[in-house]
Amino acid sequence: MRDGDSPARAKSRAWARLTELRGADLPARPLDARALAALAANPGCRRRALLDGAGVDKTALAQSLGAASGFGQSQFAFVRGNAFEARVKADGGAELLRLTHAGLGGGPEPVAGEAAVPDLSAAGPEGRAARTALALREATASGGWTLLDHPMLALEVAGTPAFLEPDAVVVQPDGTWTVVEIKSFPMIDGSADAAKVGAAARQAAVYVLALEGVAARLDPAPNVRHQVLLVCPKDFSNLPTASAIDVRKQLSVTRRQLERLTRVEDIAAELPEGITFDVRRPADELTAAVESVPATYAPECLAACELAFHCRERARERGDVTSLGRSIRGDLGGLTQVEDVLAAASGAAGDPADPAVAALRRAAVLRREAVSGGDAVSGGGALGGSSC
């Protein structure tokens, strides 16, 4: 903030700068729970933080860069997911409420046909968010089971409201609010794919954070569960089953990332004058603009970010170890380039006292032994002297 500036004036100038970066006549792309969850999954990526904070359409940007990723849900998966969700919520959500009670309790067992399912329709997202808040207040006071089907929640992100729509929120007789995530991937023998469950947990944590904001405006504030209910098809059927997932860790990460998003103007201030992410600009100009903001690429980005193909290509060109995965990057310590890793493994560089270097050289010896069939150590030994 400049000397003599009021906070309001500084904020206004910051938003004007972000608008210039996006393209003054282009509408800002609103943040949704999936985008916020992806930010939480990769909190060190300044590139994504800036582009999302400025409301840049990353799908269009990737296409302009010639690196469209095809990121998103297939039409088949979308139809299958909608059909499964409709089955879960049929008959006034009787099965969903039964699963909620079985997994989380919350009062007496729900009776089919007696739960409230309020109408949440209203004009615009602001109206729907206000109607949802009213329905939550009334449901809490009623002391019964209430199912809010696709409620609208508002969460302030970088000074502006982001409107979020969870699959469902259940208000239990004890006044507890629970977020429900309905996914079409299977839960086999009580467990599901860890990566998909992790993505669902991060997305649900965004909804929990928004729901806490609604609860905080009530007196007394209702209890928002930090356990969400994940509902999936059971085994290879279309029958629903559910599991409670603790999202406290994801909630903490999301809070920290949103605090960082409020400072995207600081990232923008470091950019050279004239930089723009206007998707109508030539590809070479956009490439230079994108590369002026540091990224933190990892293979997980392929399932979460529209710019993943572009960032992967650049990471491979630079020989970044992160392109191989975060776990490998963590194991290699201070070796951040593939070239340095290979040199350390061959003995051409690196401190032998470094545990990572020592492990690489030992791995190289073991590989040579395996490739040579053991001759490197035994000098022919069992294989060389065998009469077989």
Side-chain angles (χ1 to χ4, degrees):
M1 187 166 63
R2 297 176 184 173
D3 292 341
D5 260 3
S6 67
R9 183 176 299 176
K11 185 175 182 178
S12 175
R13 185 167 51 249
W15 276 110
R17 172 62 170 148
L18 294 178
T19 300
E20 292 173 3
L21 290 174
R22 181 181 67 248
D25 58 339
L26 293 177
R29 187 176 182 85
L31 282 167
D32 58 15
R34 193 178 295 270
L36 291 173
L39 278 171
N42 191 4
C45 187
R46 294 165 65 88
R47 180 176 297 169
R48 172 147 198 167
L50 178 62
L51 294 176
D52 280 349
V56 175
D57 185 341
K58 296 194 299 301
T59 299
L61 179 59
Q63 291 172 345
S64 298
L65 293 172
S69 66
F71 167 77
Q73 193 175 41
S74 71
Q75 188 64 29
F76 172 76
F78 183 75
V79 172
R80 182 183 60 188
N82 282 347
F84 178 69
E85 181 177 335
R87 177 167 188 162
V88 171
K89 294 178 178 176
D91 300 323
E95 181 63 11
L96 177 54
L97 296 178
R98 185 192 68 79
L99 291 170
T100 304
H101 180 266
L104 295 169
E109 188 172 349
V111 177
E114 293 188 3
V117 185
D119 180 10
L120 301 178
S121 59
E126 295 89 349
R128 288 186 59 201
R131 180 69 189 90
T132 296
L134 177 61
L136 284 166
R137 184 183 301 111
E138 292 173 345
T140 305
S142 73
W145 287 92
T146 301
L147 170 63
L148 278 69
D149 186 5
H150 284 284
M152 183 66 74
L153 305 173
L155 179 66
E156 186 171 298
V157 178
T160 59
F163 293 99
L164 314 172
E165 189 176 350
D167 293 328
V169 170
V170 172
V171 179
Q172 290 141 288
D174 63 1
T176 301
W177 299 357
T178 301
V179 170
V180 178
E181 271 289 279
I182 303 173
K183 298 297 184 183
S184 59
F185 56 80
M187 194 175 292
I188 301 172
D189 292 333
S191 63
D193 181 272
K196 293 179 179 179
V197 172
R202 288 190 294 272
Q203 187 170 340
V206 177
Y207 297 136
V208 172
L209 189 60
L211 202 57
E212 286 181 339
V214 179
R217 293 192 288 272
L218 300 183
D219 187 19
N223 177 38
V224 179
R225 284 192 191 273
H226 291 164
Q227 282 184 310
V228 302
L229 193 73
L230 175 64
V231 181
C232 298
K234 183 178 181 180
D235 298 328
F236 299 101
S237 71
N238 201 34
L239 298 174
T241 187
S243 177
I245 302 175
D246 192 321
V247 297
R248 282 177 294 183
K249 178 180 177 181
Q250 292 84 355
L251 196 58
S252 176
V253 172
T254 302
R255 282 198 183 97
R256 288 199 303 270
Q257 183 60 7
L258 290 184
E259 289 173 0
R260 179 186 175 189
L261 263 185
T262 61
R263 297 191 297 273
V264 291
E265 61 269 21
D266 296 337
I267 303 175
E270 298 174 1
L271 299 180
E273 288 295 328
I275 288 291
T276 179
F277 303 107
D278 188 327
V279 296
R280 299 164 296 186
R281 305 298 299 172
D284 56 346
E285 183 178 330
L286 283 174
T287 299
V290 168
E291 291 304 307
S292 68
V293 187
T296 305
Y297 172 77
E300 294 88 342
C301 296
L302 294 172
C305 184
E306 299 87 339
L307 288 178
F309 281 10
H310 172 83
C311 297
R312 180 179 65 176
E313 182 181 351
R314 293 298 185 271
R316 287 175 172 176
E317 288 176 356
R318 294 190 299 267
D320 292 345
V321 169
T322 51
S323 65
L324 304 176
R326 290 195 182 97
S327 60
I328 295 177
R329 170 68 185 88
D331 290 340
L332 292 174
L335 301 173
T336 60
Q337 304 298 120
V338 173
E339 181 182 356
D340 297 335
V341 172
L342 295 175
S346 67
D351 181 2
D354 185 334
V357 173
L360 285 168
R361 292 181 182 176
R362 176 58 180 159
V365 170
L366 294 174
R367 180 182 182 279
R368 287 195 296 270
E369 291 177 9
V371 170
S372 64
D375 289 347
V377 173
S378 63
L383 291 177
S386 173
S387 59
C388 295

